[in-house]
């Protein structure tokens, strides 16, 4: 089945309203295995609308409308489509009473022009609207072409789609359709080049959608039963995972933060965030996830240098030496957040806001097995021009050497746990019992392993702040 989406409203053409209905309907139709051939936005003009309806009807099986069902004189979608499909409209007493009752619930009375909303098809049928005043309409001609008319208000349209239109389309499919969405870290072109053959399969089908810093791959299977369709989806997703590895991080989740919260809960861990230029955006994303209070209790917004020093214990000497936008400062922020919150995991973010800005993220590993996670933003720069480490773009397979300068006797290593965006700097064992870098330019702690075990610690087991240097395990 092929379909076209027609969104009606002069306000859409003028840009006064964002057309989110087209996006929603495209996704829903794709999930049902219906190919959307065209999308249209047209003003409230009956002549142009009729021309478009006749054109779309001649080449597609299904026309899906949103908007133009209101009570005003320019809301003529229902009348125009009825004429194009050879149908007529009649006044529906039951719908009129529902409109009266709807207004009465808010101590209002309908006006005479609301009566046109109670006009319903005589050959087709009405689509019940339990969330507003305007009923929808379903038209169908002798050749099997169909049209579904829904309100333009997104809340009403989505409800009518789920309760009225989608069940009608499912019955006409004569099969069961099942979809799952795989979320993958990385850019669209890089991902698609690895899994191109899987996109060519007819059933299950797969489509990739680009997001910020990641992509969605929607897999849709069409089978005789729900169980068979689900099994086909799962098998195809397994193929994607085998090729993409850890970059394919979860299935059927709204965003990365949902996976983070779930992973923290499953491992019994707690996280904290210390943010500068992001101003609490990481904390906001995490706390938007239901149940995040179980694993995320502290978020520090330390925009000013004084706030970094007072709340997180970042040494002024570190800021003076490396600049406030630097890897060592980001790591010190993460270290301070973990110390002050008692969380096992922490992330520190610093950077420059505004055009041309860039961000740095730091993490540290506590001497008692604690760790810190981060995910650098690809395309950002690794440091300011006066930073002691090179200014290089962050890219897959490369770890910006924050906390470990060009003269550091260590080695960079790719950490495959996040598909190319997380890196760990591994310290090379040097003389004797030393397991960490001794080069001052790196800002690493010069401590033999024995000293690590006996170093002064605070009540949480962290190395005491008496040592005024960045955390020894500064990463990224």
């Amino acid at each position: 089945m092929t379909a076209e989406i027609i969104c009606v409203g002069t306000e859409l053409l003028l840009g006064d309203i964002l057309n989110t209905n087209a996006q929603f309907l495209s996704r829903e139709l794709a999930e049902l295995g219906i190919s959307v051939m065209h999308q249209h936005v047209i003003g409230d003009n009956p002549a142009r609308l009729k021309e478009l309806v006749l054109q779309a009807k001649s080449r597609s099986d299904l026309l899906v409308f949103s908007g133009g069902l209101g009570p005003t004189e320019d809301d003529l979608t229902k009348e125009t489509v009825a004429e194009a499909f050879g149908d007529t409209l009649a006044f529906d007493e039951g719908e009129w009473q529902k409109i009266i009752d709807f207004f009465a619930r808010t101590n209002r009375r309908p006006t005479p022009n609301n009566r046109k909303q109670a006009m319903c098809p005589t050959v087709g049928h009405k689509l019940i609207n339990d969330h507003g005043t305007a009923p929808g309409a379903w038209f169908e001609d002798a050749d099997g072409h169909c049209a579904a008319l829904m309100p333009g208000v997104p809340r009403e349209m989505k409800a009518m789609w789920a309760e009225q239109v989608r069940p009608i389309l499912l019955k006409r499919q004569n099969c069961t359709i099942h979809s799952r969405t795989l979320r993958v870290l990385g850019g669209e072109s890089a991902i698609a080049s690895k899994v191109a053959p899987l996109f060519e399969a007819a059933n299950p089908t797969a489509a990739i959608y680009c997001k910020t810093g990641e992509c969605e791959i929607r897999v849709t299977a069409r089978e005789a039963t729900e169980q068979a369709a689900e099994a086909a989806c799962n098998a195809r997703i397994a193929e994607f995972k085998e090729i993409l590895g850890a970059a394919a991080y979860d299935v059927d989740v709204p965003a990365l933060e949902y996976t983070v919260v779930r992973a923290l809960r499953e491992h019994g861990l707690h996280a904290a965030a210390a943010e500068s230029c992001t101003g609490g955006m990481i904390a906001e994303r995490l706390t938007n996830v239901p149940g995040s209070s179980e694993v995320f209790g502290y978020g520090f917004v330390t925009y000013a240098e004084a706030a970094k020093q007072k709340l997180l214990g970042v040494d002024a000497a570190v800021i003076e030496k490396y600049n406030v936008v630097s890897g060592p400062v980001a790591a010190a922020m993460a270290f301070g957040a973990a110390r002050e919150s008692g969380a096992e995991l922490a992330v520190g973010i610093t950077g420059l806001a505004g055009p041309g800005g860039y961000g740095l993220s730091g993490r540290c590993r506590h001497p008692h097995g604690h760790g810190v996670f981060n995910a650098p933003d690809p395309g950002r720069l690794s440091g300011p021009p006066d930073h002691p480490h090179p200014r290089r773009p962050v890219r897959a397979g490369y770890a910006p050497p924050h906390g470990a300068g060009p003269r550091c006797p260590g080695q960079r290593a790719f950490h495959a746990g996040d598909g190319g965006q997380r890196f760990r700097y591994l310290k090379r064992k040097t003389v004797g019992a030393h397991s960490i870098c001794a080069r001052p330019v790196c800002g690493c702690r010069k401590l033999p392993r024995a000293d690590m075990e006996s170093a002064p610690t605070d009540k949480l087991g962290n190395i005491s702040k008496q040592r005024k240097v960045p955390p020894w395990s500064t990463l990224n």
Side-chain angles (χ1 to χ4, degrees):
M1 181 180 287
T2 59
E4 298 192 24
I5 297 170
I6 302 175
C7 299
V8 183
T10 303
E11 65 276 12
L12 295 173
L13 287 177
L14 296 175
D16 293 337
I17 296 177
L18 181 65
N19 187 12
T20 58
N21 287 352
Q23 180 189 38
F24 172 82
L25 291 170
S26 292
R27 282 178 169 270
E28 290 294 319
L29 289 166
E31 186 175 320
L32 294 176
I34 299 174
S35 301
V36 178
M37 309 306 292
H38 300 274
Q39 287 186 11
H40 310 274
V41 176
I42 189 168
D44 298 297
N45 183 287
R48 288 196 293 269
L49 179 58
K50 182 178 180 180
E51 180 184 2
L52 174 60
V53 171
L54 292 174
Q55 183 184 40
K57 181 170 169 285
S58 68
R59 64 193 178 198
S60 298
D61 306 313
L62 172 67
L63 310 184
V64 182
F65 292 80
S66 73
L69 302 183
T72 60
E73 293 182 0
D74 60 352
D75 290 315
L76 297 171
T77 301
K78 195 162 28 179
E79 294 82 349
T80 304
V81 177
E83 181 182 353
F85 274 78
D87 205 337
T88 57
L89 302 176
F91 184 75
D92 189 305
E93 290 287 352
E95 284 301 319
W96 175 240
Q97 187 59 48
K98 285 177 60 177
I99 292 172
I100 294 174
D101 295 341
F102 182 88
F103 278 89
R105 286 196 292 270
T106 55
N107 295 319
R108 296 181 297 159
R109 301 173 68 178
T111 56
N113 61 358
N114 285 116
R115 290 180 64 88
K116 69 175 295 188
Q117 293 182 292
M119 302 295 288
C120 297
T122 56
V123 178
H125 60 84
K126 63 185 178 183
L127 299 174
I128 306 258
N129 183 1
D130 291 326
H131 305 272
T133 61
W138 179 273
F139 296 99
E140 190 166 351
D141 65 11
D143 296 326
H145 297 98
C146 307
L149 278 62
M150 295 178 287
V153 179
R155 179 178 62 86
E156 297 180 29
M157 184 274 296
K158 290 178 181 179
M160 186 176 290
W161 169 267
E163 298 166 5
Q164 302 287 319
V165 180
R166 191 174 190 275
I168 295 174
L169 296 175
L170 281 173
K171 289 180 181 179
R172 292 170 177 253
Q173 293 293 85
N174 296 321
C175 63
T176 297
I177 296 172
H178 187 83
S179 293
R180 302 202 70 186
T181 301
L182 177 67
R183 301 193 75 95
V184 187
L185 294 173
E188 181 179 11
S189 58
I191 295 171
S193 65
K194 297 178 182 178
V195 294
L198 298 182
F199 290 125
E200 299 173 1
N203 187 34
T205 61
I208 188 169
Y209 306 97
C210 184
K211 303 291 182 180
T212 302
E214 62 178 311
C215 290
E216 291 180 356
I217 298 178
R218 173 173 284 194
V219 177
T220 302
R222 185 196 303 260
E223 298 290 346
T225 65
E226 176 68 22
Q227 293 78 6
E230 184 177 357
C233 276
N234 292 338
R236 182 54 47 83
I237 284 179
E239 294 181 58
F240 277 108
K241 286 184 173 180
E242 183 178 358
I243 297 173
L244 297 172
Y249 69 86
D250 214 337
V251 179
D252 292 337
V253 295
L256 178 60
E257 54 265 29
Y258 286 78
T259 302
V260 171
V261 170
R262 178 180 56 79
L264 290 171
R265 187 185 294 116
E266 289 177 354
H267 290 84
L269 299 173
H270 300 81
E275 304 179 59
S276 180
C277 60
T278 50
M281 293 172 64
I282 292 175
E284 179 191 22
R285 289 184 62 173
L286 289 173
T287 54
N288 281 336
V289 180
S292 59
S293 59
E294 300 175 17
V295 297
F296 184 82
Y298 286 77
F300 301 86
V301 177
T302 55
Y303 208 29
E305 292 183 20
K308 294 177 178 64
Q309 298 173 41
K310 181 178 180 180
L311 298 179
L312 302 173
V314 178
D315 197 328
V318 175
I319 297 176
E320 177 68 22
K321 181 177 180 180
Y322 294 105
N323 193 317
V324 70
V325 182
S326 64
V329 170
M333 290 169 62
F335 193 82
R339 179 183 62 247
E340 298 297 331
S341 66
E344 296 87 359
L345 302 173
V347 59
I349 303 292
T350 183
L352 297 179
Y358 54 89
L360 301 174
S361 54
R363 58 183 180 177
C364 60
R365 180 170 295 278
H366 290 252
H368 293 277
H370 299 173
V372 175
F373 61 88
N374 74 324
D377 189 359
R380 299 286 180 97
L381 296 177
S382 63
D386 57 346
H387 194 271
H389 309 315
R391 181 179 171 92
R392 302 188 180 100
V394 177
R395 62 184 183 275
Y398 172 75
H402 292 309
R407 296 188 295 279
C408 175
Q411 58 183 1
R412 291 187 294 272
F414 172 72
H415 178 52
D418 59 5
Q421 300 305 327
R422 185 186 302 166
F423 304 90
R424 175 167 296 167
Y425 195 92
L426 302 181
K427 306 298 179 183
R428 177 182 297 169
K429 289 187 178 181
T430 56
V431 181
H434 287 73
S435 61
I436 54 177
C437 176
R439 300 282 178 155
V441 69
C442 300
C444 302
R445 290 182 181 274
K446 184 180 179 181
L447 287 176
R449 186 177 298 279
D451 290 348
M452 285 295 298
E453 297 172 355
S454 60
T457 59
D458 59 19
K459 61 182 180 181
L460 296 176
N462 301 325
I463 295 178
S464 172
K465 290 192 292 181
Q466 294 175 5
R467 299 181 180 273
K468 302 295 185 179
V469 289
W472 62 270
S473 55
T474 299
L475 304 179
N476 271 357

